[in-house]
Amino acid sequence: CYTAAATAQPNMTSAQLALGLAYLQRRTWAFAEQALSNALRLDPSRPRIALRGLVEAQRRQDDREGALKTLDELTERFPDELDAFGLRAELRLQAGDRAGALADLGHALDRQPRHVSSLRRLAALLVGEGRAPEAKARLDKALESAPKDHDVWALRLQLAGAF
C-alpha cells in the first residue's frame, strides 16, 4: 500500500514518510533510509519524526557518521529532543569523544535535571572515569528538585555502591 502510494506520487512527502516508517517497522533499514531521506528532501520543514526515523535507520546500518550528522540537525532544530542528546552522547562515546558526550548529557540535564536516561548515562560515564563523587552530586541535585521522584531514587540506589 505505502509502496504503491510512493511509486504513484514520488514527490509526495507524506507518501515517502509513511513508506520510510513502514520500512522501519519491517527492519529494512536501507529502504527506510532512502524513503525518509526522500521525505526530508521534499519537505523543507524537516519533520521531527522523519529525522528520528532516519537516525534509527542509519544507526542500524552502522552509519555512525550519518547518524551523528542527522542527530546534529535534530538537536539543533528541536532542542527539547532530550533523548536525541542522549543518543548522540552514546554515539560520541563509541567514537571516543568523551567531552562531546559529556556536553550532550549536560545539555539534556540542564533542560530537565531529572531526565533519567541522561542521568543514567552521565552517572555511568562519570563512575567509569573514576569520578563517582560528581555522579553522586548530579543525582543528589536531581533529587533536591524532586525528592519523591522514584526513578531518580532507584538510579541513585542502584549506583550507591559506586560512591
Side-chain angles (χ1 to χ4, degrees):
C1 159
Y2 296 118
T3 305
T7 302
Q9 297 289 332
N11 293 323
M12 179 183 267
T13 303
S14 59
Q16 293 293 329
L17 180 58
L19 181 61
L21 296 175
Y23 281 137
L24 281 177
Q25 287 181 331
R26 292 183 183 157
R27 300 177 190 271
T28 50
W29 313 121
F31 291 124
E33 181 178 13
Q34 181 181 2
L36 292 166
S37 293
N38 287 341
L40 289 164
R41 179 180 48 78
L42 293 168
D43 187 347
S45 75
R46 315 278 293 172
R48 184 186 305 233
I49 191 168
L51 290 167
R52 284 182 187 163
L54 183 58
V55 167
E56 184 64 16
Q58 291 166 327
R59 277 183 357 111
R60 296 298 185 140
Q61 295 177 90
D62 296 322
D63 179 7
R64 184 182 307 136
E65 291 303 315
L68 282 169
K69 184 178 176 183
T70 305
L71 282 164
D72 287 344
E73 180 179 354
L74 181 60
T75 55
E76 183 179 315
R77 291 182 56 77
F78 304 100
D80 62 329
E81 188 72 38
L82 301 183
D83 288 329
F85 284 96
L87 180 55
R88 188 169 67 180
E90 188 177 305
L91 291 175
R92 285 181 168 175
L93 276 175
Q94 290 172 6
D97 180 7
R98 293 178 107 51
L102 284 170
D104 279 338
L105 294 170
H107 174 82
L109 291 168
D110 287 345
R111 293 188 63 86
Q112 174 50 265
R114 297 183 327 263
H115 190 250
V116 175
S117 65
S118 293
L119 280 170
R120 182 174 288 113
R121 285 180 173 126
L122 181 64
L125 177 61
L126 292 173
V127 168
E129 291 183 342
R131 297 163 58 188
E134 287 178 62
K136 180 182 180 297
R138 183 59 96 149
L139 290 168
D140 289 345
K141 180 182 175 185
L143 286 169
E144 284 175 16
S145 66
K148 294 183 180 183
D149 188 315
H150 171 76
D151 293 329
V152 178
W153 268 111
L155 178 59
R156 173 70 170 77
L157 293 172
Q158 179 185 4
L159 295 173
F163 306 133

